[in-house]
Amino acid sequence: MKTKKITAGVLHRAKQQGFSDRQLAHIFNTDEISVRKLRKKLGVLPVYKTVDTCAAEFEAETPYHYSTYETESEVAVSDRKKVIILGGGPNRIGQGIEFDYCCVHGVFALVEEGYETIMINCNPETVSTDYDQVDKLYFEPLTLENVLDICDIEKPEGVIIAFGGQTPLKLAKALEAQGVPILGTSPDDIDVAEDRKRFGSLLKKLTIPHPADGTASSAAEAVKIASKIGYPVLVRPSYVLGGRAMEIVYDDTSLEGYMQKAVDVSPDHPVLIDKFLEDAREFDVDAVCDGTDVLIGGVLHHIQEAGIHSGDSTSVLMPSAESPQVVEQLKDFTRKLALALKVKGLINVQFAEKGGIVYVLEVNPRASRTVPFISKAMGFPLAKIAAKVMVGRTLKELGYDLDARPKYIAVKEPVFPFNKFPQTKIFLGPEMRSTGEVMSMSGTYGESIAKAVLAAGGILPVSGGVFFSVNNNDKNERMIETAKGMLDFGFRLYATRGTSLFLDSHGVPNTMIYKANEGRPNVVDYIKNGDIQMVINTPLGGPSRFDEQAIGKAALEENRLAVTSISGAAAALSAVRWYRQGKGDVRSLQEYHADLRVPETTLKE
């Protein structure tokens, strides 16, 4: 870059016309920081105007600002100790209000600790961009340039990047390199969790199991890794949010096609390739760590099969699980990872369990989409606790139980927009599809599941037909128990050929019908004709995904309850049992926290 030819006038005009430092760096054939240094040297700096919320009728005093390249700034900078929180940016599928919730609760905590709170966010449809929530709001894009400009003016004690999801997390290293103090987990430790090789080394050191994996920057590398790991594999670009561009692939051709698409999604980072654990149970654990102690917020069991994005899976927070040993293993691994990563604040760990072995799938040293749910269910605010830890408080000082058990059963049920987008593929996978969620609580498993299904707009059938099509791994005693339970309630059973023969061998009456691609009338015809009110379909492997799509679409169009795992079918049976009884009550969240005590005997339903 020939700086002699770039005058203050040229830079000022470029900035007024909306060119970012990064764009100018591309034009001038240099890097963003060099442009920034030159701009500061020449005195080309933004000023901040106050949004006129009074339409010029009265003098606006709202602390709500935006940048522009004029001459006079309207921001009054105080000498109080202050903390900047980076929000989640624009909302989109894959990123909802969970990050906004954490940002606002972080603000509440920092106010209690005596800090001036400053929010940087650019989404007008969030609570965090309500100027009544914070001492000062900067309505700016979440870019390195904008955050650094505000830090130059405000000179905060530190910046919190862990509450806004992946968007601010990407800025961590660059901000630290420019001298901005990052509160909470250090950028380097965040990178250990994000970088596949560094994370793999950490897991090996901690002797924590992890599915076989690799990284690839070309189709040839990807095929080589997949052949070594074995299909199916889970592939995704690094540093993505909401499972974007994540897929399960079953052969070389599909993998090569994916690689071509994936490079366009994230050209700066390699594609991550993991062995996909079919027929595994998946769990989420949210925790807070202060560097010495770890507070386990809650353990969530996903009802859907492993491989379904956590945001799309029905999740259960319950006082007891099928295997207490597995739950203790989940907690133990979470504690070890949090301490090894030197986490200061929130951490989310995703696990899979298969054959009694617990595998770590992913670690996110930041806020997760399950933090609001667990906080409301457990009765203590994880995001507020994390914010206080980030500014120096310890968990012992705050006085929370480090391993509190939930006293009731809470269920998180996703809500999908498929009825608004009729041409969209509706089967679930690793890429997040839901646009919302509901929460239910009660003292029994069946009631909680039933309330969740109904609250999400689903229909619980009390009579009619139930369709079974399950993979060979799911042809087990639990599936037979579920089928017999449906019969006991008077449901008629329909099944595809292999499943029908398995039911016959166990003396369970059923009617065999065709799959979607075998002939007519098939399962889709039965659904559309009103013969089937509930679909239990557990696909396994590439070919079965076609049938899943056809069945799922028909179930959606006819508003039938569709379940994709045997554990989900058992849950649906529990829900139908409660629903047919017609018993239950409605309590406020406060009443649950204050009064509900669940006897252990009710948890095995």
Side-chain angles (χ1 to χ4, degrees):
M1 179 176 65
K2 297 180 180 180
T3 56
K4 291 182 179 179
K5 293 185 178 180
I6 304 173
T7 65
V10 169
L11 273 181
H12 194 267
R13 184 178 179 186
K15 300 304 288 185
Q16 283 188 322
Q17 292 182 352
F19 285 89
S20 68
D21 285 354
R22 190 172 181 181
Q23 289 172 316
L24 291 174
H26 178 73
I27 294 171
F28 298 149
N29 193 28
T30 185
D31 61 88
E32 181 178 0
I33 296 302
S34 296
V35 172
R36 175 177 180 78
K37 289 179 178 178
L38 175 63
R39 182 167 57 78
K40 293 178 69 175
K41 179 180 178 181
L42 297 176
V44 181
L45 304 172
V47 297
Y48 293 88
K49 298 295 185 180
T50 300
V51 175
D52 187 356
T53 54
C54 299
E57 187 174 357
F58 305 100
E59 182 179 354
E61 297 180 354
T62 52
Y64 185 4
H65 309 291
Y66 64 95
S67 65
T68 184
Y69 277 81
E70 294 183 6
T71 56
E72 183 181 357
S73 182
E74 297 174 358
V75 169
V77 179
S78 75
D79 57 1
R80 293 175 57 194
K81 62 178 183 177
K82 60 196 72 169
V83 170
I84 290 177
I85 296 177
L86 304 188
N91 274 6
R92 53 202 179 272
I93 292 178
Q95 176 171 327
I97 61 109
E98 63 275 359
F99 298 135
D100 200 51
Y101 169 98
C102 292
C103 287
V104 174
H105 275 243
V107 168
F108 295 161
L110 293 170
V111 169
E112 291 175 3
E113 295 299 309
Y115 288 88
E116 179 181 337
T117 57
I118 300 170
M119 178 68 63
I120 304 176
N121 205 359
C122 56
N123 185 355
E125 298 300 325
T126 60
V127 180
S128 65
T129 51
D130 184 337
Y131 54 77
D132 289 330
Q133 297 294 339
V134 291
D135 294 306
K136 194 177 291 181
L137 167 67
Y138 286 92
F139 199 80
E140 294 290 303
L142 289 164
T143 67
L144 178 63
E145 174 185 348
N146 293 99
V147 175
L148 287 176
D149 284 339
I150 295 169
C151 288
D152 285 346
I153 293 172
E154 296 289 351
K155 296 179 174 53
E157 301 279 319
V159 174
I160 292 178
I161 61 170
F163 287 160
Q166 205 70 34
T167 301
L169 217 63
K170 292 179 181 179
L171 300 176
K173 279 191 168 182
L175 289 172
E176 186 181 51
Q178 297 305 307
V180 175
I182 303 298
L183 298 180
T185 309
S186 74
D188 184 64
D189 289 315
I190 291 172
D191 189 68
V192 171
E194 295 278 2
D195 184 277
R196 185 51 53 96
K197 292 181 180 179
R198 298 182 71 187
F199 185 57
S201 298
L202 177 65
L203 291 177
K204 186 176 181 179
K205 179 181 177 181
L206 297 175
T207 63
I208 295 177
H210 182 273
D213 63 9
T215 59
S217 300
S218 68
E221 286 182 9
V223 170
K224 184 178 180 180
I225 291 168
S227 64
K228 180 180 179 181
I229 293 174
Y231 288 104
V233 294
L234 184 68
V235 289
R236 60 179 172 137
S238 54
Y239 289 88
V240 298
L241 182 70
R244 185 167 57 92
M246 192 185 296
E247 290 183 16
I248 301 167
V249 297
Y250 293 86
D251 52 57
D252 290 351
T253 302
S254 300
L255 182 55
E256 289 169 353
Y258 173 85
M259 287 299 295
Q260 184 61 43
K261 294 184 296 182
V263 170
D264 294 333
V265 174
S266 184
D268 298 329
H269 301 285
V271 168
L272 311 180
I273 303 175
D274 295 273
K275 174 66 177 176
F276 176 57
L277 301 174
E278 291 195 297
D279 190 36
R281 299 190 305 162
E282 197 161 340
F283 297 86
D284 258 85
V285 181
D286 280 300
V288 178
C289 179
D290 63 5
T292 302
D293 295 308
V294 180
L295 183 158
I296 301 294
V299 177
L300 290 178
H301 174 214
H302 298 188
I303 288 181
Q304 276 74 18
E305 59 178 315
I308 303 300
H309 192 280
S310 60
D312 288 353
S313 179
T314 300
S315 302
V316 182
L317 178 75
M318 51 194 305
S320 66
E322 296 175 15
S323 172
Q325 293 79 12
V326 169
V327 173
E328 289 307 311
Q329 185 83 90
L330 297 170
K331 293 178 180 179
D332 181 56
F333 284 170
T334 300
R335 294 185 187 101
K336 288 180 177 178
L337 286 165
L339 294 172
L341 289 168
K342 305 180 185 68
V343 170
K344 292 285 185 68
L346 288 165
I347 180 172
N348 168 263
V349 189
Q350 296 174 21
F351 297 95
E353 180 270 329
K354 184 175 181 178
I357 300 175
V358 174
Y359 299 87
V360 170
L361 301 180
E362 186 177 344
V363 176
N364 297 303
R366 57 167 172 81
S368 75
R369 63 182 41 80
T370 48
V371 166
F373 170 72
I374 288 180
S375 297
K376 292 178 181 180
M378 294 295 294
F380 50 78
L382 289 177
K384 287 185 69 174
I385 297 169
K388 294 193 176 193
V389 164
M390 288 178 186
V391 294
R393 298 290 297 276
T394 67
L395 291 171
K396 287 182 179 178
E397 285 177 345
L398 297 173
Y400 288 97
D401 186 347
L402 298 183
D403 192 10
R405 285 171 53 87
K407 297 181 176 63
Y408 41 80
I409 297 169
V411 173
K412 177 181 75 70
E413 178 80 9
V415 178
F416 298 97
F418 298 137
N419 58 340
K420 304 293 185 183
F421 304 99
Q423 301 304 316
T424 303
K425 293 181 179 180
I426 63 103
F427 62 85
L428 303 180
E431 185 167 4
M432 186 171 170
R433 314 295 293 282
S434 61
T435 52
E437 59 193 28
V438 298
M439 174 179 176
S440 69
M441 289 187 293
S442 82
T444 65
Y445 183 60
E447 182 177 356
S448 294
I449 293 291
K451 285 180 176 180
V453 170
L454 296 172
I459 293 178
L460 277 174
V462 293
S463 62
V466 178
F467 169 74
F468 280 84
S469 179
V470 304
N471 65 68
N472 289 333
N473 292 337
D474 283 336
K475 291 171 183 172
N476 52 35
E477 187 61 33
R478 190 173 191 187
M479 179 257 185
I480 293 298
E481 290 177 2
T482 302
K484 288 181 177 179
M486 294 295 181
L487 278 177
D488 291 342
F489 285 141
F491 287 97
R492 302 182 305 276
L493 302 189
Y494 299 89
T496 51
R497 184 181 304 277
T499 303
S500 177
L501 292 173
F502 180 73
L503 291 172
D504 288 341
S505 69
H506 286 76
V508 181
N510 69 93
T511 300
M512 186 180 73
I513 60 177
Y514 289 131
K515 293 182 179 181
N517 59 349
E518 288 182 339
R520 306 290 293 271
N522 56 39
V523 56
V524 173
D525 298 318
Y526 276 81
I527 292 172
K528 291 185 175 181
N529 291 338
D531 297 309
I532 293 174
Q533 280 66 45
M534 184 188 302
V535 171
I536 298 170
N537 182 33
T538 67
L540 188 68
S544 64
R545 300 286 172 179
F546 170 82
D547 216 45
E548 180 189 17
Q549 169 65 11
I551 295 170
K553 185 175 182 181
L556 174 69
E557 290 174 348
E558 302 300 324
N559 201 17
R560 303 288 189 259
L561 182 64
V563 181
T564 59
S565 67
I566 290 301
S567 58
L573 179 61
S574 296
V576 169
R577 180 184 295 117
W578 174 82
Y579 193 56
R580 286 169 67 103
Q581 292 172 349
K583 296 179 181 179
D585 61 354
V586 177
R587 299 189 185 188
S588 69
L589 191 64
Q590 292 78 8
E591 287 175 312
Y592 274 108
H593 290 166
D595 301 328
L596 191 55
R597 298 294 183 269
V598 182
E600 289 292 328
T601 53
T602 68
L603 303 177
K604 302 183 184 299
E605 180 186 336

